[in-house]
Amino acid sequence: MAGRGSVRASGNFNANQDAEILYKAMKGLGTDEDSIMKLLTSRSNSQRQQIKAAYKTLHGKDLVGDLQGELGGTFETLVVALMTPPILYDVTSLRNAIKGAGTDEKVLIEILSSRTAQQIKDITAAYRQEFNKNLEEDVTGDTSGHFRRLLVILLQASRQQGVQEGNIEADAQTLFSAGEKKFGTDEEQFITILGNRSTEHLRRVFAAYMKLAGYEMEESIQRETSGGLRDLLLAVVKCARSVPAYFAETLYYSMKGAGTDDQTLIRVMVSRSEVDMLDIRADYRRLFAKSLHSAIQGDTSGDYRKALLLLCGGNDA
C-alpha cells in the first residue's frame, strides 16, 4: 500500500523557508489563501509539524493559532485538520464524538472499523495521554447494548491472524444460523465472528456465506439488524472487503443529496490523503461512474473546494 496517497513528502524540503512563506501569506492586509493551501497540501504531515516548529522558533507564535485567526469556515477547519498529527486527529475526532450531549456514532464507526490494530493501540494510548481518560471507558459510558459490545471488541485490536482454513465453513454456517435461518437474530454470533476474525479470513467466510445463503453478507446484515449495530457491522464487513472502497462510499454519501456533510468530507480527505487516496479515487470511479474530483467540484465552493481538490490530487474523469 506504500505510496498510494495523493499527498507525499516534498523532496527539497526546507521548514524555515516554508514557515516564512506562510508568515508572508498572513502578514499585512488580506491573506494569501492560495499560497497557504498549495504549500500545506504539498507537504506530508510530518513536514507540516516541522514547519510548525520552525514558525514558532522564527516568529515566536503558534502557526495554527495564526492560521485560525486569518481563515474561516470549512476552509479553516480543513487547514487545522491538515496541521494535526494523524493519531491526534483521530483521538480528537473520537473525543468530540463522545463528549457533550448525544454521541456521533458515525465517527466512532468510521474510525474504529477502518484503522489497523496498531493504529487502534496508538489511538488508545494517545487518548489517555491527551485527555487523561480511558477511551474504552468513555465509549462504554456513552453507548449501549450490542453496538457497545462490538465497539469494545474493536478497541481491543486483537483480531486473529491469518486464515483458519478449518473454520471458514463453520463460521459461514454459524452466521447463517444466527440470522437468515432463524426467526429473530442472534447478534452475539455476528459480533463475535466479525469482530475477532482476521480480514483475510472474513473475506473467505463471506464467499462461503454467499454460497450457503444465496445473499451477500451485507444484505443479511441490512435485513437482520438495525440502528447503530447494523451500521457498525456493515462498516466492519466493508472494511474487511476493501478499506478504500469503504471510504469511497463514505465520501459519496457525505456529498449525496441536499447539503454536504462537511465534517465527514474533511475527515476522510485529510486522514486518507497520505494513505490510500489514489485507491479511493479508483474505487469511487468504479462504484459511482463519476470521479471524486467532479463530485467535490460540484458540491463545494471557494478556497475550501480548491483545497479539497488539491488533496484529491487529480481527476479520473
Side-chain angles (χ1 to χ4, degrees), residues 24-99:
K24 287 199 180 95
M26 294 186 279
K27 197 168 160 268
L29 280 168
T31 307
D32 181 356
E33 284 91 353
D34 275 351
S35 293
I36 294 171
M37 72 174 84
K38 280 183 182 138
L39 190 136
L40 294 180
T41 56
S42 58
R43 303 291 183 270
S44 67
N45 192 286
S46 67
Q47 289 176 333
R48 291 179 211 129
Q49 303 314 315
Q50 293 171 58
I51 296 168
K52 187 155 68 174
Y55 191 93
K56 184 83 169 183
T57 306
L58 294 165
H59 299 288
K61 299 167 84 166
D62 174 47
L63 174 56
V64 178
D66 280 1
L67 287 164
Q68 284 175 300
E70 295 290 327
L71 312 172
T74 44
F75 180 49
E76 178 195 330
T77 308
L78 176 63
V79 167
V80 171
L82 285 171
M83 291 304 302
T84 311
I87 291 290
L88 184 60
Y89 185 52
D90 278 352
V91 161
T92 313
S93 300
L94 288 168
R95 178 78 184 136
N96 292 338
I98 297 168
K99 74 178 215 282

Side-chain angles (χ1 to χ4, degrees), residues 18-271:
D18 285 353
E20 283 310 307
I21 292 170
L22 291 172
Y23 182 72
K24 287 199 180 95
M26 294 186 279
K27 197 168 160 268
L29 280 168
T31 307
D32 181 356
E33 284 91 353
D34 275 351
S35 293
I36 294 171
M37 72 174 84
K38 280 183 182 138
L39 190 136
L40 294 180
T41 56
S42 58
R43 303 291 183 270
S44 67
N45 192 286
S46 67
Q47 289 176 333
R48 291 179 211 129
Q49 303 314 315
Q50 293 171 58
I51 296 168
K52 187 155 68 174
Y55 191 93
K56 184 83 169 183
T57 306
L58 294 165
H59 299 288
K61 299 167 84 166
D62 174 47
L63 174 56
V64 178
D66 280 1
L67 287 164
Q68 284 175 300
E70 295 290 327
L71 312 172
T74 44
F75 180 49
E76 178 195 330
T77 308
L78 176 63
V79 167
V80 171
L82 285 171
M83 291 304 302
T84 311
I87 291 290
L88 184 60
Y89 185 52
D90 278 352
V91 161
T92 313
S93 300
L94 288 168
R95 178 78 184 136
N96 292 338
I98 297 168
K99 74 178 215 282
T103 310
D104 190 342
E105 292 184 351
K106 198 185 314 185
V107 177
L108 296 179
I109 291 169
E110 179 196 301
I111 293 177
L112 297 181
S113 59
S114 66
R115 302 302 188 255
T116 63
Q118 189 53 55
Q119 284 170 329
I120 299 276
K121 287 173 181 154
D122 293 345
I123 286 167
T124 307
Y127 190 92
R128 183 180 284 285
Q129 198 182 349
E130 197 61 26
F131 303 112
N132 198 20
K133 282 175 135 33
N134 178 306
L135 177 56
E136 188 183 317
E137 282 172 15
D138 281 0
V139 166
T140 46
D142 222 53
T143 54
S144 61
H146 296 297
F147 178 59
R148 170 168 67 193
R149 197 167 133 56
L150 181 51
L151 287 173
V152 169
I153 289 175
L154 296 177
L155 278 167
Q156 304 312 306
S158 56
R159 281 186 183 279
Q160 295 165 349
Q161 300 296 301
V163 177
Q164 278 80 37
E165 291 292 342
N167 289 342
I168 293 168
E169 295 298 330
D171 281 350
Q173 184 63 59
T174 302
L175 289 168
F176 182 58
S177 302
E180 297 286 357
K181 204 174 164 190
K182 65 181 288 217
F183 183 72
T185 310
D186 183 354
E187 290 92 352
E188 281 298 317
Q189 300 290 0
F190 280 86
I191 290 168
T192 302
I193 293 174
L194 296 177
N196 289 303
R197 306 286 192 264
S198 74
T199 51
E200 306 85 0
H201 181 87
L202 287 175
R203 286 195 288 273
R204 300 277 297 276
V205 173
F206 301 156
Y209 184 88
M210 178 69 193
K211 280 198 191 114
L212 189 65
Y215 299 110
E216 291 292 6
M217 193 72 241
E218 291 90 332
E219 295 175 75
S220 293
I221 289 170
Q222 288 278 17
R223 264 202 301 278
E224 295 293 324
T225 59
S226 62
L229 176 66
R230 178 185 60 202
D231 296 341
L232 181 55
L233 287 168
L234 284 172
V236 167
V237 170
K238 286 169 183 174
C239 286
R241 288 195 194 272
S242 162
V243 170
Y246 167 71
F247 279 115
E249 199 179 310
T250 304
L251 286 169
Y252 176 76
Y253 285 109
S254 76
M255 294 182 276
K256 188 177 179 282
T260 307
D261 177 357
D262 291 301
Q263 292 300 346
T264 299
L265 181 54
I266 291 169
R267 198 172 50 249
V268 176
M269 293 303 292
V270 170
S271 64

